[in-house]
Amino acid sequence: MQRTALVTGITGQDGSYLAEVLLEQGYRVVGMSRRSSTITNERIAHLAGKIELVQGDLLDQASLVEALKETRPAEVYNLAAQSFVPTSWNQPVLTGEFTALGVTRILEAIRQVDPTIRFYQASSSEMFGKVTESPQHEGTAFHPRSPYGVAKVYGHLLTVNYRESYDLYAASGICFNHESPRRGLEFVTRKVTDGAVRVKLGLAKDLRLGNLDAQRDWGFAGDYVRAMWLMLQQDQPGDYVIATGQAHSVRELCEVAFGRLGLDYRDHVTVDPALIRPAEVDHLLGDATRARTELGWEPKVGFEQLVTMMVDADLARLGGGRRADDPVLASSMYSRAP
Ligand code: NAP
Ligand code: F7E
């Protein structure tokens, strides 16, 4: 019988890639999205007719119960959250409502409607924050540095607690940063690839960034969603770090992205103190040994390949379908940057 998967946050970066993996696996895929006055389906437009959508909001318990009753999933992937760290300082209460209490609401809905549903929680490396050891693994202590990180610790521990209290199949992916051409423009990778392309095409003069020394373990979102699915196919539920095991600085990210376009980032990137965070996470590096050995999961896309893919996609979007290795780019028509 065809299995149904319900994905919250289907309109986000991960939701769109996960839907593709689930369709490949033969699932009926239902995405939960909240009502808004403007359409936010850009990332899943290519899946129209292949997936179904149901309305629901993590702030509204009744809508979650209704979505489960209506769609009867075997698996629920909880990807919805307020996921941008800086916003969590401006809207700490709302971040807690979505990102922390939203997990309680959906787990309670599962208990009420069908406790056999398998549940995936999108936990985050931001829970490690001010790290106590490196690399970080499933047993590393949490020391979150933002209201977002704190909210994710709550969601993570609640998932563990519901597994232990009610014997639910509840698993958690402690995912390190993962990126793609579908990443939101405010996150640093996409801000840099989009910004570098704008400079190259003469659409912007410079790019303002915050802390260039911060280091992250950046992977490709398409690889990470495979791990999410694998986590719900095991005999027993568990928690898994998903990471590449390689860290790079924001400065290196700029070097690769601008370099792809034949530019030197030092000529175009300026540091804006307003973009420095109240409390920074300086360095994250993940140890995904457990995922490798138990799930058989490996990342396929490395850092340079990822950044190159993102630059090329932004160039195709903003530059009329060109690639960075297109010789026309070197011509004066596309070289209006100072
Ligand atoms: P994203 O692109 O920001 O997508 C977030 C999704 O959540 C969007 O579909 C958004 O819908 C939805 N959402 C927000 N508030 C909601 C609410 N109240 N009710 C229902 N839906 C709501 O995030 P992502 O990068 O795909 O990440 C997916 C999940 O993984 C998030 O939980 C994030 O915190 C977590 N995570 C991400 C990373 C990463 O590097 N990407 C790493 C670790 C963990 P709208 O379109 O309506 O805004
Ligand atoms: O920042 C530095 C910034 O916003 C990365 C979310 O998906 O991954 C993401 O959270 C680093 C930070 O991601 C700018 O200070 C410098 O050190 O791309 P980011 P994040 O905060 O690591 C985790 C795992 C999640 O769970 C989150 O949901 O880059 N940085 N200059 C900057 N960051 C931004 N956004 N913008 C800058 O101008």
Side-chain angles (χ1 to χ4, degrees), residues 163-176:
R163 180 165 77 215
E164 294 174 354
S165 304
Y166 303 114
D167 209 21
L168 295 188
Y169 190 113
S172 225
I174 307 176
C175 289
F176 282 62

Side-chain angles (χ1 to χ4, degrees), residues 13 81-86 122-127 146 148 152 175-179 183 185-192 207-216 218 250 253 275-277 279-284:
Q13 170 189 255
Q82 190 303 95
S83 74
F84 190 48
V85 171
S123 291
S124 167
S125 52
E126 283 293 299
M127 301 189 305
S146 63
Y148 169 81
K152 280 288 176 188
C175 289
F176 282 62
N177 301 52
H178 44 280
E179 319 293 317
R183 185 60 141 154
L185 282 163
E186 68 274 43
F187 297 93
V188 77
T189 50
R190 189 73 198 290
K191 185 171 172 183
V192 168
L207 177 63
R208 303 175 86 77
L209 294 174
N211 178 9
L212 301 185
D213 296 318
Q215 295 195 357
R216 289 291 183 277
W218 278 296
V250 174
L253 163 68
L275 295 170
I276 305 286
R277 298 179 179 186
E280 178 62 291
V281 172
D282 296 316
H283 177 91
L284 288 176

Side-chain angles (χ1 to χ4, degrees), residues 266-278:
R266 289 171 297 189
D267 298 334
H268 306 286
V269 168
T270 53
V271 171
D272 181 346
L275 295 170
I276 305 286
R277 298 179 179 186

Side-chain angles (χ1 to χ4, degrees), residues 113-278:
V113 176
D114 177 4
T116 69
I117 291 173
R118 293 189 169 204
F119 176 76
Y120 171 83
Q121 168 59 15
S123 291
S124 167
S125 52
E126 283 293 299
M127 301 189 305
F128 298 124
K130 191 171 180 184
V131 299
T132 53
E133 61 180 325
S134 201
Q136 296 85 52
H137 53 87
E138 292 80 4
T140 299
F142 298 143
H143 186 147
R145 297 275 280 170
S146 63
Y148 169 81
V150 173
K152 280 288 176 188
V153 171
Y154 175 95
H156 179 76
L157 293 179
L158 194 85
T159 302
V160 174
N161 179 259
Y162 270 49
R163 180 165 77 215
E164 294 174 354
S165 304
Y166 303 114
D167 209 21
L168 295 188
Y169 190 113
S172 225
I174 307 176
C175 289
F176 282 62
N177 301 52
H178 44 280
E179 319 293 317
S180 74
R182 298 182 203 164
R183 185 60 141 154
L185 282 163
E186 68 274 43
F187 297 93
V188 77
T189 50
R190 189 73 198 290
K191 185 171 172 183
V192 168
T193 60
D194 173 83
V197 168
R198 283 178 190 277
V199 168
K200 180 71 183 178
L201 299 180
L203 302 172
K205 276 201 161 49
D206 61 3
L207 177 63
R208 303 175 86 77
L209 294 174
N211 178 9
L212 301 185
D213 296 318
Q215 295 195 357
R216 289 291 183 277
D217 181 333
W218 278 296
F220 172 51
D223 285 340
Y224 286 44
V225 296
R226 277 189 293 111
M228 297 173 192
W229 175 72
L230 285 167
M231 278 178 228
L232 295 200
Q233 314 310 313
Q234 305 306 303
D235 291 339
Q236 297 296 328
D239 305 319
Y240 295 89
V241 160
I242 304 299
T244 70
Q246 303 284 325
H248 295 275
S249 64
V250 174
R251 197 182 298 282
E252 287 172 82
L253 163 68
C254 293
E255 239 167 59
V256 177
F258 281 82
R260 173 75 178 157
L261 297 161
L263 300 172
D264 184 335
Y265 82 93
R266 289 171 297 189
D267 298 334
H268 306 286
V269 168
T270 53
V271 171
D272 181 346
L275 295 170
I276 305 286
R277 298 179 179 186

